[in-house]
Amino acid sequence: MKNTNKIKNKSNEYAAHLPKDFNRPNDAVGQRLLKEYGSLFVARGGAIPPKTVIFKSESDVSAFQASLLKSKEDIGVFAVELQTAAMNNLKNAIAEAEKNNVTITPRGADAAKRNYADTVALWASRVEPALAHWVKKGDLEVAEASQICLLSPFDQVPKIFKLESRGMFCSKDLSKSIVYSVAPPGASQHLSMLALDVNEHDDSRVRDVLAEHGWFQTVVSDLPHFTFLGVLENQLSKLGLKKISDGGRIFWIPNL
Ligand SMILES: [Zn+2]
């Protein structure tokens, strides 16, 4: 009884820090996405998180991105666009790292901001080869795979989660859930302009200096991915987040 109350209180703590008017999902897919990607929604320090776990269209994404205060900078060889609060803190982290001859650079042209179409293409780049693999292996009927391919990307999500519950994982290496490899269309943290994929993610000095400037790892086992949460590490549990250790890394996820 005591334990149950404790768990309930922690999950209330997370709920209490969600944005005003946040559209909390009731469906299984939405709840899973909130659990896997939801740290973003309690971001502070001038960050504006979306009010929904999944954008349903390009126009929803564009309207949200248009409402934000954002900054664009050349970092390394790529242009990076982020919410201004996230960018300012990133630049401070980069400047501090430079003093110790440590670099922090984006992994590609799509390392920060993405649009809805980008998330659709990334999703397809995992789903299509995974379906082909499971058909070839004999675990999945051609008819079922074809049916999934014909659905809209949005409607594919619950079907893919179902296949994964039968052991047919759809990440790039087919060993884990697709959610740790790419986000479902419309659900990527990159749409919020509060996420950055970093080349030097393996260097603990990079992770430390980013954390000192409000940037944390929040998607378990997505190693290059950092999220701007806008507070110091000792504030994260007060926002209703919990620390997960995985593969020698620390990840902060909703305490749900
Ligand atoms: Zn990422």
Side-chain angles (χ1 to χ4, degrees):
M1 189 63 196
K2 210 175 167 188
N3 259 346
T4 318
N5 279 339
K6 207 172 161 190
I7 290 164
K8 212 174 163 197
N9 288 342
K10 292 255 163 138
S11 123
N12 287 344
E13 213 162 355
Y14 173 73
H17 290 91
L18 288 169
K20 204 172 161 274
D21 308 324
F22 185 74
N23 188 3
R24 196 158 173 179
N26 299 314
D27 62 301
V29 168
Q31 284 174 356
R32 169 107 193 261
L33 295 176
L34 188 67
K35 210 169 169 175
E36 305 286 5
Y37 302 142
S39 295
L40 174 85
F41 300 112
V42 296
R44 294 293 186 267
I48 307 289
K51 293 191 193 308
T52 179
V53 292
I54 189 154
F55 290 104
K56 298 223 166 71
S57 67
E58 197 72 83
S59 60
D60 283 0
V61 172
S62 317
F64 173 73
Q65 291 180 345
S67 73
L68 301 169
L69 196 60
K70 24 189 195 293
S71 309
K72 201 170 188 173
E73 299 273 343
D74 289 330
I75 301 175
V77 295
F78 297 107
V80 167
E81 196 173 6
L82 290 166
Q83 290 195 26
T84 299
M87 179 65 85
N88 289 342
N89 282 276
L90 175 65
K91 278 163 55 185
N92 290 341
I94 290 172
E96 202 173 312
E98 259 170 17
K99 289 185 208 158
N100 299 311
N101 293 319
V102 172
T103 59
I104 302 176
T105 55
R107 263 167 80 88
D110 67 349
K113 179 191 178 184
R114 287 179 198 156
N115 60 30
Y116 187 80
D118 295 330
T119 67
V120 169
L122 279 167
W123 173 257
S125 77
R126 299 295 189 274
V127 166
E128 284 162 14
L131 292 178
H133 168 85
W134 295 116
V135 166
K136 197 174 164 201
K137 207 164 167 260
D139 293 355
L140 181 64
E141 296 289 337
V142 177
E144 193 179 352
S146 315
Q147 249 172 11
I148 294 173
C149 285
L150 289 174
L151 294 172
S152 73
F154 182 76
D155 291 328
Q156 286 177 353
V157 180
K159 303 285 182 196
I160 294 298
F161 286 179
K162 248 186 207 137
L163 287 189
E164 292 188 333
S165 72
R166 287 156 58 192
M168 289 177 260
F169 292 109
C170 297
S171 66
K172 197 170 191 177
D173 68 2
L174 307 160
S175 72
K176 59 186 180 184
S177 173
I178 191 167
V179 300
Y180 306 122
S181 186
V182 301
S188 168
Q189 290 188 347
H190 291 277
L191 298 170
S192 70
M193 304 179 69
L194 294 170
L196 180 70
D197 295 338
V198 171
N199 273 324
E200 301 83 354
H201 62 88
D202 248 340
D203 186 337
S204 65
R205 294 171 304 174
V206 166
R207 300 197 297 273
D208 289 347
V209 75
L210 282 169
E212 282 160 26
H213 293 87
W215 283 87
F216 298 92
Q217 302 227 261
T218 70
V219 181
V220 174
S221 94
D222 186 346
L223 301 181
H225 184 92
F226 289 78
T227 312
F228 181 66
L229 298 178
V231 295
L232 291 174
E233 191 164 25
N234 63 11
Q235 300 298 307
L236 293 174
S237 59
K238 291 178 193 152
L239 293 175
L241 302 182
K242 68 176 171 192
K243 198 198 252 192
I244 299 280
S245 270
D246 185 83
R249 298 274 185 103
I250 299 296
F251 298 87
W252 287 91
I253 66 166
N255 196 358
L256 287 171

